[in-house]
Amino acid sequence: MHPSAELYGCDRMLVQSVRALAPHWDLHVALGRDGPLVGACREAGARTEVLALPMLHKGMFTVRGLSRFVRDTVRGVLAARRLVHVERPDLVYVNTVTVPAWLLVARSAGIPAICHVHEAEEAVPALVRWMLAVPLRLARSVLANSEAARGVLVRSDRRLAGRIRVVHNGVPGPAADPAPLRDRLDGDVRLLLVGRLAHRKGSDVAVEALRLLGERGIGARLTLAGDAAAGYDGYVEGLRDQVTRAGLTDRVTFGGFVPDVWGLHGAADIVLVPSRWEPFGNVAVEGMLAGRPVISSDAQGLPEIVEDTRSGLVVPAGDAVALAGAVERLVADWPWARRLAATGQVRARSRFGTDRYARQLQEFMSDQAAERGRTDQAAERGRTGMAAERGRTGMG
């Protein structure tokens, strides 16, 4: 179960989960809307349909938004219950914390549910964090994509501590090796930021760092590859204004969403991941897999991927001065930057590959299925024992 149908980080991880489980499970994927993810899941080996259930989002915290959320939830739950009644699945796998109604549907049908959490919402009030976390009590087990995400869940609801397992994302590499890094930086250094255009992704931090580099006499160009996140149109307008005011219109490219990022990596010298909040950070892994030096912020799960001065550079989140300084450091010692990139590529392949992810997810889901089998057997023994006792006492 997954609420969207795009092809960003969490969506792509659903495809990886389907690929991992399809050889061993009969998979039926319910997506909240139609889009490119539908075809991607089918190609990966799942039967797929669109079944809308509303997501938890900031717009629901109004009287009108809450009433619409309740109305749509009731409609969606009825459709979800019909689907579960027809399919009778062994397990329900919910790929996000933002559609808790699926956990309720599974619990009411007596089917164990697993929630795979890709969120770590620390920037919201404590009450909102608790509202996101408490429905996970309905899940038998919870997967988190980083220790950082696990920590946020436990701080939000300590009753979840004993049921969370961390499985880092598995990120597929390019079909063919991207163009090698330049031996020498002749001309402008080419910077790349892949991801939603949103405050949380730090797009504005990258633009400000580009301006600072220009002040320091370092020629640089920045490509922003991604569309606006829902509800962030105003942010994108402000971002474009920021570029114009800084006189960077000829140095910043708004590339929009690109399904295959490897060509972008092949044209880049340095990959930036300046997120303010990032539970994991697939784009950091992709940069490493592409053999590019990666500069990431220290937000949440990113330090679990990029080791500062060993497989990349890590700077404080939201700090454009530090980000510009890190770029300057790499430019000043490009041979060292190339060594960082090579080390990062090896680390990404060994720690965050799809084979490792598939193996861990398969083991986890097999354990969950075995646990259900043991529970069902125990329940059946209980029913048999009660029937025998009624027979002996004449109560049958």
Side-chain angles (χ1 to χ4, degrees):
M1 316 304 179
H2 186 71
S4 72
E6 298 176 296
L7 287 174
Y8 282 93
C10 183
D11 313 305
R12 290 178 181 271
M13 282 314 304
L14 178 64
V15 177
Q16 291 306 311
S17 297
V18 170
R19 287 176 178 161
L21 299 176
H24 311 280
W25 293 74
D26 175 22
L27 302 179
H28 189 122
V29 175
L31 299 173
R33 63 193 67 179
D34 197 7
L37 187 58
V38 174
C41 286
R42 286 175 180 162
E43 290 176 6
R47 292 175 292 126
T48 308
E49 70 175 87
V50 175
L51 196 161
L53 265 172
M55 295 173 59
L56 298 177
H57 58 90
K58 62 181 180 180
M60 63 175 281
F61 294 102
T62 64
V63 173
R64 185 176 180 180
L66 185 59
S67 64
R68 185 184 302 114
F69 178 83
V70 172
R71 179 199 65 200
D72 293 344
T73 296
V74 170
R75 292 175 179 172
V77 163
L78 293 176
R81 284 178 61 87
R82 286 193 294 269
L83 175 63
V84 169
H85 177 74
V86 170
E87 291 292 322
R88 297 307 304 171
D90 295 299
L91 299 172
V92 170
Y93 173 94
V94 184
N95 196 48
T96 172
V97 73
T98 61
V99 281
W102 274 112
L103 301 176
L104 179 61
V105 169
R107 172 62 71 90
S108 65
I111 299 169
I114 293 94
C115 189
H116 199 156
V117 178
H118 302 270
E119 301 84 7
E121 298 300 325
E122 289 188 291
V124 298
L127 177 60
V128 177
R129 291 201 307 272
W130 180 82
M131 290 175 64
L132 287 169
V134 73
L136 296 177
R137 296 182 186 181
L138 296 171
R140 174 196 277 171
S141 299
V142 177
L143 284 172
N145 65 356
S146 67
E147 292 291 345
R150 182 186 185 280
V152 171
L153 288 176
V154 173
R155 289 192 294 275
S156 303
D157 185 357
R158 294 195 175 277
R159 290 180 60 179
L160 298 175
R163 67 180 69 183
I164 303 173
R165 177 176 171 181
V166 174
V167 175
H168 286 128
N169 287 355
V171 182
D177 290 338
L181 272 175
R182 291 192 283 175
D183 293 332
R184 298 173 57 187
L185 289 180
D186 298 324
D188 294 337
V189 59
R190 301 177 301 225
L191 309 175
L192 172 66
L193 193 166
V194 177
R196 293 281 200 181
L197 301 181
H199 178 74
R200 67 186 300 127
K201 297 296 185 180
S203 312
D204 57 296
V205 180
V207 171
E208 175 61 12
L210 183 68
R211 186 190 69 80
L212 293 172
L213 288 168
E215 288 186 350
R216 299 174 187 182
I218 299 174
R221 296 179 180 275
L222 172 65
T223 297
L224 299 172
D227 290 329
Y232 276 84
D233 291 337
Y235 173 84
V236 177
E237 292 177 8
L239 188 65
R240 291 184 179 274
D241 288 343
Q242 178 188 2
V243 170
T244 301
R245 291 194 308 271
L248 298 172
T249 52
D250 62 337
R251 292 194 167 270
V252 177
T253 299
F254 288 86
F257 173 72
V258 179
D260 188 341
V261 298
W262 302 113
L264 294 173
H265 283 97
D269 297 311
I270 298 172
V271 172
L272 307 181
V273 191
S275 302
R276 291 181 169 93
W277 301 282
E278 195 69 73
F280 182 73
N282 284 8
V283 293
V285 179
E286 288 173 345
M288 296 162 72
L289 288 172
R292 265 53 192 170
V294 173
I295 305 173
S296 83
S297 75
D298 61 358
Q300 297 185 315
L302 285 171
E304 297 176 38
I305 300 170
V306 181
E307 299 173 294
D308 189 35
T309 71
R310 296 184 63 187
S311 58
L313 294 180
V314 179
V315 299
D319 191 336
V321 174
L323 183 61
V327 173
E328 188 174 17
R329 188 177 176 186
L330 294 179
V331 171
D333 191 350
W334 191 240
W336 177 60
R338 288 167 55 87
R339 292 195 296 273
L340 281 181
T343 301
Q345 189 176 53
V346 172
R347 173 177 170 81
R349 287 171 174 170
S350 63
R351 294 285 300 275
F352 309 112
T354 55
D355 289 345
R356 185 271 318 162
Y357 177 77
R359 183 175 63 256
Q360 291 185 340
L361 186 61
Q362 290 165 10
E363 291 173 353
F364 176 82
M365 296 296 280
S366 294
D367 289 345
Q368 297 300 307
E371 177 62 26
R372 179 180 184 180
R374 288 190 290 269
T375 301
D376 290 348
Q377 290 173 6
E380 181 61 30
R381 287 195 297 271
R383 288 191 293 268
T384 301
M386 291 176 63
E389 181 64 22
R390 286 196 296 269
R392 285 194 297 270
T393 59
M395 298 174 59

